[in-house]
mmCIF file with all atom_site columns, all heavy atoms in Angstrom:
data_model
loop_
_atom_site.group_PDB
_atom_site.id
_atom_site.type_symbol
_atom_site.label_atom_id
_atom_site.label_alt_id
_atom_site.label_comp_id
_atom_site.label_asym_id
_atom_site.label_entity_id
_atom_site.label_seq_id
_atom_site.pdbx_PDB_ins_code
_atom_site.Cartn_x
_atom_site.Cartn_y
_atom_site.Cartn_z
_atom_site.occupancy
_atom_site.B_iso_or_equiv
_atom_site.pdbx_formal_charge
_atom_site.auth_seq_id
_atom_site.auth_comp_id
_atom_site.auth_asym_id
_atom_site.auth_atom_id
_atom_site.pdbx_PDB_model_num
ATOM   1   N N   . LYS A 1 2   ? -10.330 16.509 -11.143 1.00 98.00 ? 2   LYS A N   1
ATOM   2   C CA  . LYS A 1 2   ? -11.203 15.657 -10.337 1.00 98.00 ? 2   LYS A CA  1
ATOM   3   C C   . LYS A 1 2   ? -10.613 15.511 -8.941  1.00 98.00 ? 2   LYS A C   1
ATOM   4   O O   . LYS A 1 2   ? -9.402  15.296 -8.789  1.00 98.00 ? 2   LYS A O   1
ATOM   5   C CB  . LYS A 1 2   ? -11.363 14.280 -10.990 1.00 98.00 ? 2   LYS A CB  1
ATOM   6   C CG  . LYS A 1 2   ? -12.262 13.319 -10.226 1.00 98.00 ? 2   LYS A CG  1
ATOM   7   C CD  . LYS A 1 2   ? -11.479 12.287 -9.434  1.00 98.00 ? 2   LYS A CD  1
ATOM   8   C CE  . LYS A 1 2   ? -12.366 11.433 -8.539  1.00 98.00 ? 2   LYS A CE  1
ATOM   9   N NZ  . LYS A 1 2   ? -11.599 10.400 -7.811  1.00 98.00 ? 2   LYS A NZ  1
ATOM   10  N N   . GLY A 1 4   ? -10.990 13.419 -5.270  1.00 98.00 ? 4   GLY A N   1
ATOM   11  C CA  . GLY A 1 4   ? -11.554 12.228 -4.630  1.00 98.00 ? 4   GLY A CA  1
ATOM   12  C C   . GLY A 1 4   ? -12.047 12.499 -3.217  1.00 98.00 ? 4   GLY A C   1
ATOM   13  O O   . GLY A 1 4   ? -11.979 13.630 -2.718  1.00 98.00 ? 4   GLY A O   1
ATOM   14  N N   . GLY A 1 5   ? -12.525 11.427 -2.576  1.00 98.00 ? 5   GLY A N   1
ATOM   15  C CA  . GLY A 1 5   ? -13.185 11.537 -1.276  1.00 98.00 ? 5   GLY A CA  1
ATOM   16  C C   . GLY A 1 5   ? -12.353 12.162 -0.169  1.00 98.00 ? 5   GLY A C   1
ATOM   17  O O   . GLY A 1 5   ? -12.836 13.048 0.551   1.00 98.00 ? 5   GLY A O   1
ATOM   18  N N   . THR A 1 6   ? -11.093 11.740 -0.033  1.00 98.00 ? 6   THR A N   1
ATOM   19  C CA  . THR A 1 6   ? -10.270 12.328 1.047   1.00 98.00 ? 6   THR A CA  1
ATOM   20  C C   . THR A 1 6   ? -9.990  13.802 0.776   1.00 98.00 ? 6   THR A C   1
ATOM   21  O O   . THR A 1 6   ? -9.899  14.601 1.701   1.00 98.00 ? 6   THR A O   1
ATOM   22  C CB  . THR A 1 6   ? -8.920  11.584 1.213   1.00 98.00 ? 6   THR A CB  1
ATOM   23  O OG1 . THR A 1 6   ? -8.692  10.806 0.065   1.00 98.00 ? 6   THR A OG1 1
ATOM   24  C CG2 . THR A 1 6   ? -8.909  10.713 2.433   1.00 98.00 ? 6   THR A CG2 1
ATOM   25  N N   . ASP A 1 149 ? -13.947 8.754  -11.054 1.00 98.00 ? 149 ASP A N   1
ATOM   26  C CA  . ASP A 1 149 ? -12.819 8.804  -11.997 1.00 98.00 ? 149 ASP A CA  1
ATOM   27  C C   . ASP A 1 149 ? -13.360 8.739  -13.423 1.00 98.00 ? 149 ASP A C   1
ATOM   28  O O   . ASP A 1 149 ? -12.902 9.465  -14.317 1.00 98.00 ? 149 ASP A O   1
ATOM   29  C CB  . ASP A 1 149 ? -11.868 7.608  -11.785 1.00 98.00 ? 149 ASP A CB  1
ATOM   30  C CG  . ASP A 1 149 ? -11.189 7.632  -10.422 1.00 98.00 ? 149 ASP A CG  1
ATOM   31  O OD1 . ASP A 1 149 ? -10.956 8.734  -9.893  1.00 98.00 ? 149 ASP A OD1 1
ATOM   32  O OD2 . ASP A 1 149 ? -10.891 6.541  -9.888  1.00 98.00 ? 149 ASP A OD2 1
ATOM   33  N N   . TYR A 1 167 ? -6.903  14.366 -8.923  1.00 98.00 ? 167 TYR A N   1
ATOM   34  C CA  . TYR A 1 167 ? -6.261  14.680 -7.635  1.00 98.00 ? 167 TYR A CA  1
ATOM   35  C C   . TYR A 1 167 ? -6.716  13.684 -6.580  1.00 98.00 ? 167 TYR A C   1
ATOM   36  O O   . TYR A 1 167 ? -7.907  13.434 -6.413  1.00 98.00 ? 167 TYR A O   1
ATOM   37  C CB  . TYR A 1 167 ? -6.646  16.081 -7.176  1.00 98.00 ? 167 TYR A CB  1
ATOM   38  C CG  . TYR A 1 167 ? -6.001  17.198 -7.967  1.00 98.00 ? 167 TYR A CG  1
ATOM   39  C CD1 . TYR A 1 167 ? -6.562  17.640 -9.158  1.00 98.00 ? 167 TYR A CD1 1
ATOM   40  C CD2 . TYR A 1 167 ? -4.845  17.816 -7.507  1.00 98.00 ? 167 TYR A CD2 1
ATOM   41  C CE1 . TYR A 1 167 ? -5.981  18.685 -9.870  1.00 98.00 ? 167 TYR A CE1 1
ATOM   42  C CE2 . TYR A 1 167 ? -4.261  18.858 -8.213  1.00 98.00 ? 167 TYR A CE2 1
ATOM   43  C CZ  . TYR A 1 167 ? -4.833  19.281 -9.395  1.00 98.00 ? 167 TYR A CZ  1
ATOM   44  O OH  . TYR A 1 167 ? -4.254  20.311 -10.101 1.00 98.00 ? 167 TYR A OH  1
ATOM   45  N N   . THR A 1 168 ? -5.756  13.114 -5.840  1.00 98.00 ? 168 THR A N   1
ATOM   46  C CA  . THR A 1 168 ? -6.107  12.130 -4.820  1.00 98.00 ? 168 THR A CA  1
ATOM   47  C C   . THR A 1 168 ? -5.214  12.324 -3.600  1.00 98.00 ? 168 THR A C   1
ATOM   48  O O   . THR A 1 168 ? -4.664  13.411 -3.401  1.00 98.00 ? 168 THR A O   1
ATOM   49  C CB  . THR A 1 168 ? -6.045  10.705 -5.432  1.00 98.00 ? 168 THR A CB  1
ATOM   50  O OG1 . THR A 1 168 ? -6.424  9.762  -4.448  1.00 98.00 ? 168 THR A OG1 1
ATOM   51  C CG2 . THR A 1 168 ? -4.663  10.378 -5.971  1.00 98.00 ? 168 THR A CG2 1
ATOM   52  N N   . ASP A 1 169 ? -5.097  11.263 -2.763  1.00 97.00 ? 169 ASP A N   1
ATOM   53  C CA  . ASP A 1 169 ? -4.338  11.425 -1.522  1.00 97.00 ? 169 ASP A CA  1
ATOM   54  C C   . ASP A 1 169 ? -2.929  10.859 -1.615  1.00 97.00 ? 169 ASP A C   1
ATOM   55  O O   . ASP A 1 169 ? -2.230  10.752 -0.615  1.00 97.00 ? 169 ASP A O   1
ATOM   56  C CB  . ASP A 1 169 ? -5.106  10.803 -0.329  1.00 97.00 ? 169 ASP A CB  1
ATOM   57  C CG  . ASP A 1 169 ? -5.490  9.365  -0.596  1.00 97.00 ? 169 ASP A CG  1
ATOM   58  O OD1 . ASP A 1 169 ? -5.044  8.790  -1.615  1.00 97.00 ? 169 ASP A OD1 1
ATOM   59  O OD2 . ASP A 1 169 ? -6.245  8.798  0.210   1.00 97.00 ? 169 ASP A OD2 1
ATOM   60  N N   . VAL A 1 170 ? -2.506  10.440 -2.809  1.00 97.00 ? 170 VAL A N   1
ATOM   61  C CA  . VAL A 1 170 ? -1.102  10.074 -3.045  1.00 97.00 ? 170 VAL A CA  1
ATOM   62  C C   . VAL A 1 170 ? -0.641  10.900 -4.258  1.00 97.00 ? 170 VAL A C   1
ATOM   63  O O   . VAL A 1 170 ? -1.474  11.368 -5.030  1.00 97.00 ? 170 VAL A O   1
ATOM   64  C CB  . VAL A 1 170 ? -0.913  8.556  -3.339  1.00 97.00 ? 170 VAL A CB  1
ATOM   65  C CG1 . VAL A 1 170 ? -1.052  7.750  -2.069  1.00 97.00 ? 170 VAL A CG1 1
ATOM   66  C CG2 . VAL A 1 170 ? -1.890  8.062  -4.391  1.00 97.00 ? 170 VAL A CG2 1
ATOM   67  N N   . GLY A 1 172 ? 0.803   10.236 -7.037  1.00 98.00 ? 172 GLY A N   1
ATOM   68  C CA  . GLY A 1 172 ? 0.935   9.630  -8.352  1.00 98.00 ? 172 GLY A CA  1
ATOM   69  C C   . GLY A 1 172 ? 0.673   8.143  -8.287  1.00 98.00 ? 172 GLY A C   1
ATOM   70  O O   . GLY A 1 172 ? 0.268   7.612  -7.243  1.00 98.00 ? 172 GLY A O   1
ATOM   71  N N   . VAL A 1 173 ? 0.909   7.477  -9.416  1.00 98.00 ? 173 VAL A N   1
ATOM   72  C CA  . VAL A 1 173 ? 0.799   6.026  -9.464  1.00 98.00 ? 173 VAL A CA  1
ATOM   73  C C   . VAL A 1 173 ? 2.160   5.455  -9.086  1.00 98.00 ? 173 VAL A C   1
ATOM   74  O O   . VAL A 1 173 ? 3.182   5.888  -9.622  1.00 98.00 ? 173 VAL A O   1
ATOM   75  C CB  . VAL A 1 173 ? 0.390   5.542  -10.867 1.00 98.00 ? 173 VAL A CB  1
ATOM   76  C CG1 . VAL A 1 173 ? 0.343   4.025  -10.927 1.00 98.00 ? 173 VAL A CG1 1
ATOM   77  C CG2 . VAL A 1 173 ? -0.954  6.144  -11.273 1.00 98.00 ? 173 VAL A CG2 1
ATOM   78  N N   . TYR A 1 174 ? 2.155   4.538  -8.168  1.00 97.00 ? 174 TYR A N   1
ATOM   79  C CA  . TYR A 1 174 ? 3.392   3.928  -7.685  1.00 97.00 ? 174 TYR A CA  1
ATOM   80  C C   . TYR A 1 174 ? 3.547   2.505  -8.234  1.00 97.00 ? 174 TYR A C   1
ATOM   81  O O   . TYR A 1 174 ? 2.606   1.914  -8.739  1.00 97.00 ? 174 TYR A O   1
ATOM   82  C CB  . TYR A 1 174 ? 3.394   3.893  -6.152  1.00 97.00 ? 174 TYR A CB  1
ATOM   83  C CG  . TYR A 1 174 ? 3.772   5.215  -5.507  1.00 97.00 ? 174 TYR A CG  1
ATOM   84  C CD1 . TYR A 1 174 ? 2.934   6.314  -5.586  1.00 97.00 ? 174 TYR A CD1 1
ATOM   85  C CD2 . TYR A 1 174 ? 4.986   5.349  -4.830  1.00 97.00 ? 174 TYR A CD2 1
ATOM   86  C CE1 . TYR A 1 174 ? 3.286   7.525  -5.008  1.00 97.00 ? 174 TYR A CE1 1
ATOM   87  C CE2 . TYR A 1 174 ? 5.340   6.549  -4.237  1.00 97.00 ? 174 TYR A CE2 1
ATOM   88  C CZ  . TYR A 1 174 ? 4.482   7.637  -4.334  1.00 97.00 ? 174 TYR A CZ  1
ATOM   89  O OH  . TYR A 1 174 ? 4.835   8.822  -3.764  1.00 97.00 ? 174 TYR A OH  1
ATOM   90  N N   . THR A 1 175 ? 4.764   1.967  -8.051  1.00 97.00 ? 175 THR A N   1
ATOM   91  C CA  . THR A 1 175 ? 5.030   0.600  -8.506  1.00 97.00 ? 175 THR A CA  1
ATOM   92  C C   . THR A 1 175 ? 4.153   -0.412 -7.773  1.00 97.00 ? 175 THR A C   1
ATOM   93  O O   . THR A 1 175 ? 3.897   -1.491 -8.286  1.00 97.00 ? 175 THR A O   1
ATOM   94  C CB  . THR A 1 175 ? 6.512   0.247  -8.270  1.00 97.00 ? 175 THR A CB  1
ATOM   95  O OG1 . THR A 1 175 ? 6.851   0.666  -6.925  1.00 97.00 ? 175 THR A OG1 1
ATOM   96  C CG2 . THR A 1 175 ? 7.411   0.949  -9.269  1.00 97.00 ? 175 THR A CG2 1
ATOM   97  N N   . THR A 1 176 ? 3.706   -0.064 -6.576  1.00 97.00 ? 176 THR A N   1
ATOM   98  C CA  . THR A 1 176 ? 2.687   -0.844 -5.873  1.00 97.00 ? 176 THR A CA  1
ATOM   99  C C   . THR A 1 176 ? 2.078   0.081  -4.825  1.00 97.00 ? 176 THR A C   1
ATOM   100 O O   . THR A 1 176 ? 2.568   1.203  -4.632  1.00 97.00 ? 176 THR A O   1
ATOM   101 C CB  . THR A 1 176 ? 3.272   -2.135 -5.252  1.00 97.00 ? 176 THR A CB  1
ATOM   102 O OG1 . THR A 1 176 ? 2.192   -2.966 -4.804  1.00 97.00 ? 176 THR A OG1 1
ATOM   103 C CG2 . THR A 1 176 ? 4.199   -1.837 -4.082  1.00 97.00 ? 176 THR A CG2 1
ATOM   104 N N   . ASP A 1 177 ? 1.010   -0.339 -4.148  1.00 96.00 ? 177 ASP A N   1
ATOM   105 C CA  . ASP A 1 177 ? 0.323   0.561  -3.215  1.00 96.00 ? 177 ASP A CA  1
ATOM   106 C C   . ASP A 1 177 ? 1.303   1.096  -2.165  1.00 96.00 ? 177 ASP A C   1
ATOM   107 O O   . ASP A 1 177 ? 1.808   0.345  -1.333  1.00 96.00 ? 177 ASP A O   1
ATOM   108 C CB  . ASP A 1 177 ? -0.830  -0.186 -2.540  1.00 96.00 ? 177 ASP A CB  1
ATOM   109 C CG  . ASP A 1 177 ? -1.728  0.758  -1.736  1.00 96.00 ? 177 ASP A CG  1
ATOM   110 O OD1 . ASP A 1 177 ? -1.264  1.865  -1.390  1.00 96.00 ? 177 ASP A OD1 1
ATOM   111 O OD2 . ASP A 1 177 ? -2.872  0.387  -1.459  1.00 96.00 ? 177 ASP A OD2 1
ATOM   112 N N   . PRO A 1 178 ? 1.588   2.409  -2.181  1.00 95.00 ? 178 PRO A N   1
ATOM   113 C CA  . PRO A 1 178 ? 2.594   2.973  -1.261  1.00 95.00 ? 178 PRO A CA  1
ATOM   114 C C   . PRO A 1 178 ? 2.154   2.895  0.202   1.00 95.00 ? 178 PRO A C   1
ATOM   115 O O   . PRO A 1 178 ? 2.975   3.073  1.099   1.00 95.00 ? 178 PRO A O   1
ATOM   116 C CB  . PRO A 1 178 ? 2.713   4.430  -1.715  1.00 95.00 ? 178 PRO A CB  1
ATOM   117 C CG  . PRO A 1 178 ? 1.444   4.725  -2.442  1.00 95.00 ? 178 PRO A CG  1
ATOM   118 C CD  . PRO A 1 178 ? 0.996   3.434  -3.052  1.00 95.00 ? 178 PRO A CD  1
ATOM   119 N N   . ARG A 1 179 ? 0.880   2.645  0.434   1.00 93.00 ? 179 ARG A N   1
ATOM   120 C CA  . ARG A 1 179 ? 0.417   2.508  1.823   1.00 93.00 ? 179 ARG A CA  1
ATOM   121 C C   . ARG A 1 179 ? 0.740   1.117  2.371   1.00 93.00 ? 179 ARG A C   1
ATOM   122 O O   . ARG A 1 179 ? 0.625   0.865  3.558   1.00 93.00 ? 179 ARG A O   1
ATOM   123 C CB  . ARG A 1 179 ? -1.088  2.753  1.925   1.00 93.00 ? 179 ARG A CB  1
ATOM   124 C CG  . ARG A 1 179 ? -1.442  4.170  1.575   1.00 93.00 ? 179 ARG A CG  1
ATOM   125 C CD  . ARG A 1 179 ? -2.882  4.500  1.878   1.00 93.00 ? 179 ARG A CD  1
ATOM   126 N NE  . ARG A 1 179 ? -3.222  5.747  1.241   1.00 93.00 ? 179 ARG A NE  1
ATOM   127 C CZ  . ARG A 1 179 ? -2.851  6.942  1.698   1.00 93.00 ? 179 ARG A CZ  1
ATOM   128 N NH1 . ARG A 1 179 ? -2.166  7.047  2.811   1.00 93.00 ? 179 ARG A NH1 1
ATOM   129 N NH2 . ARG A 1 179 ? -3.170  8.029  1.037   1.00 93.00 ? 179 ARG A NH2 1
ATOM   130 N N   . SER A 1 203 ? -5.224  -2.453 -8.306  1.00 91.00 ? 203 SER A N   1
ATOM   131 C CA  . SER A 1 203 ? -4.709  -1.125 -7.932  1.00 91.00 ? 203 SER A CA  1
ATOM   132 C C   . SER A 1 203 ? -5.860  -0.136 -7.996  1.00 91.00 ? 203 SER A C   1
ATOM   133 O O   . SER A 1 203 ? -6.207  0.357  -9.056  1.00 91.00 ? 203 SER A O   1
ATOM   134 C CB  . SER A 1 203 ? -3.621  -0.670 -8.900  1.00 91.00 ? 203 SER A CB  1
ATOM   135 O OG  . SER A 1 203 ? -2.487  -1.440 -8.713  1.00 91.00 ? 203 SER A OG  1
ATOM   136 N N   . LYS A 1 204 ? -6.416  0.167  -6.828  1.00 90.00 ? 204 LYS A N   1
ATOM   137 C CA  . LYS A 1 204 ? -7.659  0.939  -6.829  1.00 90.00 ? 204 LYS A CA  1
ATOM   138 C C   . LYS A 1 204 ? -7.440  2.441  -6.992  1.00 90.00 ? 204 LYS A C   1
ATOM   139 O O   . LYS A 1 204 ? -8.331  3.241  -6.738  1.00 90.00 ? 204 LYS A O   1
ATOM   140 C CB  . LYS A 1 204 ? -8.455  0.647  -5.548  1.00 90.00 ? 204 LYS A CB  1
ATOM   141 C CG  . LYS A 1 204 ? -9.037  -0.767 -5.473  1.00 90.00 ? 204 LYS A CG  1
ATOM   142 C CD  . LYS A 1 204 ? -10.209 -0.947 -6.447  1.00 90.00 ? 204 LYS A CD  1
ATOM   143 C CE  . LYS A 1 204 ? -10.825 -2.336 -6.384  1.00 90.00 ? 204 LYS A CE  1
ATOM   144 N NZ  . LYS A 1 204 ? -10.245 -3.307 -7.312  1.00 90.00 ? 204 LYS A NZ  1
ATOM   145 N N   . VAL A 1 205 ? -6.259  2.846  -7.404  1.00 96.00 ? 205 VAL A N   1
ATOM   146 C CA  . VAL A 1 205 ? -5.996  4.281  -7.530  1.00 96.00 ? 205 VAL A CA  1
ATOM   147 C C   . VAL A 1 205 ? -6.855  4.905  -8.636  1.00 96.00 ? 205 VAL A C   1
ATOM   148 O O   . VAL A 1 205 ? -7.262  6.066  -8.527  1.00 96.00 ? 205 VAL A O   1
ATOM   149 C CB  . VAL A 1 205 ? -4.477  4.558  -7.687  1.00 96.00 ? 205 VAL A CB  1
ATOM   150 C CG1 . VAL A 1 205 ? -3.910  3.881  -8.909  1.00 96.00 ? 205 VAL A CG1 1
ATOM   151 C CG2 . VAL A 1 205 ? -4.171  6.035  -7.703  1.00 96.00 ? 205 VAL A CG2 1
HETATM 152 P P1  . ADP B 2 .   ? -9.862  8.879  -4.175  1.00 95.63 ? 501 ADP B P1  1
HETATM 153 O O1  . ADP B 2 .   ? -10.762 8.973  -2.984  1.00 95.63 ? 501 ADP B O1  1
HETATM 154 O O2  . ADP B 2 .   ? -9.076  10.127 -4.404  1.00 95.63 ? 501 ADP B O2  1
HETATM 155 O O3  . ADP B 2 .   ? -10.561 8.393  -5.402  1.00 95.63 ? 501 ADP B O3  1
HETATM 156 P P2  . ADP B 2 .   ? -8.745  6.226  -3.796  1.00 95.63 ? 501 ADP B P2  1
HETATM 157 O O4  . ADP B 2 .   ? -8.710  5.768  -2.384  1.00 95.63 ? 501 ADP B O4  1
HETATM 158 O O5  . ADP B 2 .   ? -9.821  5.710  -4.672  1.00 95.63 ? 501 ADP B O5  1
HETATM 159 O O6  . ADP B 2 .   ? -8.736  7.823  -3.773  1.00 95.63 ? 501 ADP B O6  1
HETATM 160 O O7  . ADP B 2 .   ? -7.337  5.926  -4.509  1.00 95.63 ? 501 ADP B O7  1
HETATM 161 C C1  . ADP B 2 .   ? -6.126  6.338  -3.922  1.00 95.63 ? 501 ADP B C1  1
HETATM 162 C C2  . ADP B 2 .   ? -5.490  5.192  -3.156  1.00 95.63 ? 501 ADP B C2  1
HETATM 163 O O8  . ADP B 2 .   ? -5.102  4.165  -4.056  1.00 95.63 ? 501 ADP B O8  1
HETATM 164 C C3  . ADP B 2 .   ? -4.212  5.534  -2.443  1.00 95.63 ? 501 ADP B C3  1
HETATM 165 O O9  . ADP B 2 .   ? -4.464  6.066  -1.152  1.00 95.63 ? 501 ADP B O9  1
HETATM 166 C C4  . ADP B 2 .   ? -3.455  4.203  -2.384  1.00 95.63 ? 501 ADP B C4  1
HETATM 167 O O10 . ADP B 2 .   ? -3.511  3.593  -1.113  1.00 95.63 ? 501 ADP B O10 1
HETATM 168 C C5  . ADP B 2 .   ? -4.195  3.315  -3.374  1.00 95.63 ? 501 ADP B C5  1
HETATM 169 N N1  . ADP B 2 .   ? -3.322  2.635  -4.341  1.00 95.63 ? 501 ADP B N1  1
HETATM 170 C C6  . ADP B 2 .   ? -3.376  1.313  -4.670  1.00 95.63 ? 501 ADP B C6  1
HETATM 171 N N2  . ADP B 2 .   ? -2.432  0.991  -5.547  1.00 95.63 ? 501 ADP B N2  1
HETATM 172 C C7  . ADP B 2 .   ? -1.745  2.121  -5.823  1.00 95.63 ? 501 ADP B C7  1
HETATM 173 C C8  . ADP B 2 .   ? -0.633  2.420  -6.680  1.00 95.63 ? 501 ADP B C8  1
HETATM 174 N N3  . ADP B 2 .   ? -0.047  1.485  -7.447  1.00 95.63 ? 501 ADP B N3  1
HETATM 175 N N4  . ADP B 2 .   ? -0.189  3.709  -6.722  1.00 95.63 ? 501 ADP B N4  1
HETATM 176 C C9  . ADP B 2 .   ? -0.772  4.669  -5.953  1.00 95.63 ? 501 ADP B C9  1
HETATM 177 N N5  . ADP B 2 .   ? -1.822  4.433  -5.129  1.00 95.63 ? 501 ADP B N5  1
HETATM 178 C C10 . ADP B 2 .   ? -2.313  3.180  -5.049  1.00 95.63 ? 501 ADP B C10 1
#
Side-chain angles (χ1 to χ4, degrees):
K2 180 258 173 178
T6 16
D149 295 329
Y167 288 85
T168 182
D169 54 8
V170 285
V173 177
Y174 280 69
T175 46
T176 191
D177 190 340
R179 295 189 193 284
S203 290
K204 291 288 181 269
V205 60

